[in-house]
Amino acid sequence: MPKQSAVDRAALAAAAFGGAADAVDEAAAAHLGINRTDLRLLGIVQLEGPRSAGQLSIAAGLSPAATTEAVQRLVGRGYLAREVDPGDRRRALITMGPDVTGVLEQIYGPVAQEGAKMLREYTDEELALITAFLERGRTFQEEQAARIRRQIAESAAPS
């Protein structure tokens, strides 16, 4: 087998990291008894705070109908809640349910703690490089997801 280049090794490591992160999320979703899309919605609300259903739909890249269905499932399980928007009482905000934050902390808290411990092993300069790589990689992945969605939409469009 030919020797792998540094670029090949880095690409393989990045793919393996993504796969391992997916495995953590898959285990978390299974523990919560939800699917990965529902877990993504929980993550958005947890990290970004209360959102309208429309904002949540955009942030998750889901159709409004799919978002509404997922929110209904998560509200039914007590993982999300609907509250009146104090800034516009005609609108509802999707918020974290009362009991889910502790469960998410139990699942992801050790990941965050161990990850931070690992990151403290690097210098500030190394962390700047790692951060830049991850930010560029995230943007790249989002662009590729959008490209794939466009291709699907174009191939489904009537000729």
Side-chain angles (χ1 to χ4, degrees):
M1 181 187 325
K3 185 178 178 194
Q4 292 180 327
S5 71
V7 169
D8 291 338
R9 288 191 306 277
L12 287 171
F17 178 83
D22 283 346
V24 170
D25 287 342
E26 188 68 38
H31 179 75
L32 292 166
I34 60 176
N35 63 45
R36 294 285 301 277
T37 298
D38 292 358
L39 183 67
R40 190 165 77 236
L41 294 176
L42 278 178
I44 291 167
V45 175
Q46 182 184 34
L47 293 174
E48 298 179 14
R51 296 275 177 264
S52 70
Q55 291 169 328
L56 190 56
S57 175
I58 292 167
L62 297 172
S63 70
T67 303
T68 297
E69 188 176 317
V71 167
Q72 287 173 340
R73 279 193 306 271
L74 292 166
V75 167
R77 296 194 69 135
Y79 293 155
L80 290 178
R82 287 188 185 91
E83 297 180 7
V84 175
D85 182 347
D88 181 352
R89 300 204 50 83
R90 298 167 295 172
R91 186 171 84 154
L93 291 178
I94 311 302
T95 62
M96 295 301 288
D99 301 327
V100 74
T101 302
V103 175
L104 292 175
E105 177 58 31
Q106 179 185 27
I107 293 170
Y108 287 107
V111 176
Q113 291 166 1
E114 289 299 314
K117 181 179 172 184
M118 194 170 38
L119 288 171
R120 283 192 286 276
E121 297 173 8
Y122 294 94
T123 66
D124 287 348
E125 293 79 19
E126 290 169 327
L127 288 171
L129 179 63
I130 291 167
T131 301
F133 172 77
L134 292 172
E135 288 171 348
R136 286 183 66 193
R138 180 194 47 133
T139 299
F140 170 77
Q141 295 290 4
E142 289 170 348
E143 290 168 352
Q144 294 306 306
R147 176 190 58 81
I148 294 166
R149 287 187 197 104
R150 279 193 309 275
Q151 285 178 330
I152 292 168
E154 289 168 3
S155 68
S159 321

